[in-house]
Amino acid sequence: MKSEELRGGSSSIIILGIESSCDDTSAAVIKDGVLLSNVTASQAVHESYGGVVPELASRAHQQNIVPVVDQALKRAGVSREDLSAIAFTRGPGLMGSLLVGVSFAKGLAASLGIPMIEVNHLQGHVLAHFIKAEGEEYNPPKFPFLCLLVSGGNSQIIKVKAYNDMEVIGQTIDDAAGEAIDKAAKVMGLGYPGGPIIDKLARQGNPNALQFSKPHIPGYDYSFSGLKTSFLYNLRDWMKEDPDFIEHHKEDLAASYEKAIVDTLMNKLRLAARDLRIRQIAMAGGVSANTGLRNAFHEYAEKYHWKIFIPKFSYTTDNAAMIAITGYFKYQDKDFCPMEAPAYSRVTIK
Ligand code: KG4
């Protein structure tokens, strides 16, 4: 099929999505709402530093962006000229990382003479539930639903009224859940990112073995910095008795700390669901890969008669498929952005 047919002659909408907000360079192609490709290059360079180093992240994005976009187009069997629009993550995220994706999107869109669509990374995480791919089950939530968005940088409860109408009803007032997990893993000398390692250890530990002081914050907001400090101080005391406490108790430490975080997340979510009388409950963001949190979702669903929505693992962490699907919805609203649209490091869902 000729590109003119796709763009002008046929009604197909083909969106290239680009994500570069943190340490994953990702590109995806969606045609008429169906995902054709989703390619992600992760950056191993940060592992030895125990966290993402912004300058190294932006340099790695520069190296990765061209081959990743190239691969995404090839796998989708789509040429650049077939594209209807380019959707890109405009924020929030690391400024140096965002700039690589934003500049690339602008250059490509200008050279092809096609519109650009800015995507809020957080909105993208929520709309990951609407990614449709061949051979995969498609059972998205119905509006309105609540979404627990938990990642390395965010912990929020969002009331999702429509694709383009979301309201943050609760959020962390300090650290994000993922940040608190990664920090504990770092203190335990487990490496980065700590989330998957804590998850694995927690499966072999006793979640009631150790106690940490849980936060008491009004409303639907979260706070994880006190819990993080409690972990640090308790560990310091336990290590006075046994210098090898971490080695002797790493499974119980992981399980108990994970439980404190999961209980905190779920309690507020339950309150919000009860007060707003919403029983369609979804999760999104990197921390939703956590086994303890997924199990808790199933338990709450049974107890409180929720219909729950847990995305496929590859759609929970940072990926361009979620940017492309958001772009697809915005394309239908003709919600394009000007060439001078800057990246923004901080922004919330409107
Ligand atoms: O959404 P994401 O990929 O990146 C952003 O922060 O935007 O989330 C990354 C976070 C990290 O804190 C990582 O440790 C955490 O998700 N994470 C997990 C698991 N897998 C990733 N946390 C707990 N258990 C996991 N299995």
Side-chain angles (χ1 to χ4, degrees), residues 19 21-24 121-122 125 149-154 177-182 192-200 258 284-291 313 316-318:
E19 156 64 30
S21 64
C22 190
D23 60 342
D24 292 304
H121 179 80
L122 305 177
H125 269 305
L149 171 54
V150 271
S151 68
N154 295 280
E179 204 176 339
I181 294 175
D182 290 342
Y192 178 85
I197 311 172
I198 291 274
D199 189 347
K200 213 165 159 195
E258 180 192 272
V287 181
S288 61
N290 181 262
T291 313
F313 177 73
T316 62
T317 52
D318 289 349

Side-chain angles (χ1 to χ4, degrees), residues 254-291:
S256 304
Y257 188 65
E258 180 192 272
K259 181 179 188 309
I261 289 183
V262 169
D263 285 354
T264 307
L265 289 170
M266 294 307 292
N267 275 334
K268 291 295 174 90
L269 187 59
R270 181 184 63 80
L271 285 182
R274 184 197 65 188
D275 296 350
L276 299 175
R277 297 171 188 273
I278 295 179
R279 288 199 180 148
Q280 302 238 358
I281 316 284
M283 57 159 75
V287 181
S288 61
N290 181 262
T291 313

Side-chain angles (χ1 to χ4, degrees), residues 157-349:
I157 300 176
I158 300 164
K159 183 177 174 190
V160 188
K161 300 172 217 169
Y163 299 119
N164 54 3
D165 189 4
M166 303 183 188
E167 183 190 351
V168 177
I169 58 166
Q171 60 189 319
T172 181
I173 57 166
D174 41 55
D175 299 333
E179 204 176 339
I181 294 175
D182 290 342
K183 184 73 192 196
K186 191 172 180 179
V187 168
M188 288 169 70
L190 296 178
Y192 178 85
I197 311 172
I198 291 274
D199 189 347
K200 213 165 159 195
L201 284 172
R203 308 283 67 79
Q204 301 148 36
N206 174 1
N208 300 310
L210 304 163
Q211 299 301 320
F212 304 104
S213 63
K214 287 201 194 130
H216 296 284
I217 303 291
Y220 310 128
D221 284 340
Y222 292 118
S223 164
F224 291 104
S225 82
L227 183 63
K228 205 174 71 178
T229 311
S230 159
F231 181 83
L232 205 67
Y233 286 1
N234 283 352
L235 194 58
R236 205 176 53 185
D237 291 345
W238 293 327
M239 284 174 76
K240 278 186 198 147
E241 309 279 317
D242 173 8
D244 294 325
F245 188 88
I246 295 177
E247 191 46 43
H248 293 152
H249 299 274
K250 56 180 187 292
E251 293 85 0
D252 287 348
L253 274 167
S256 304
Y257 188 65
E258 180 192 272
K259 181 179 188 309
I261 289 183
V262 169
D263 285 354
T264 307
L265 289 170
M266 294 307 292
N267 275 334
K268 291 295 174 90
L269 187 59
R270 181 184 63 80
L271 285 182
R274 184 197 65 188
D275 296 350
L276 299 175
R277 297 171 188 273
I278 295 179
R279 288 199 180 148
Q280 302 238 358
I281 316 284
M283 57 159 75
V287 181
S288 61
N290 181 262
T291 313
L293 185 59
R294 286 178 175 233
N295 290 345
F297 248 63
H298 285 289
E299 284 160 24
Y300 276 64
E302 189 144 326
K303 200 162 169 193
Y304 300 107
H305 310 289
W306 291 354
K307 185 160 169 43
I308 53 168
F309 301 87
I310 303 179
K312 203 179 123 182
F313 177 73
S314 55
Y315 303 150
T316 62
T317 52
D318 289 349
N319 67 87
M322 68 187 197
I323 304 304
I325 192 69
T326 308
Y328 174 71
F329 294 132
K330 291 184 100 172
Y331 185 94
Q332 286 162 332
D333 292 341
K334 298 207 170 0
D335 188 355
F336 304 130
C337 72
M339 188 52 84
E340 57 273 18
Y344 39 61
S345 57
R346 282 172 185 275
V347 68
T348 181
I349 285 178

Side-chain angles (χ1 to χ4, degrees), residues 31-51:
K31 180 180 176 187
D32 296 331
V34 178
L35 183 68
L36 299 182
S37 65
N38 184 30
V39 177
T40 302
S42 300
Q43 303 176 359
V45 66
H46 308 287
E47 276 164 23
S48 54
Y49 296 92

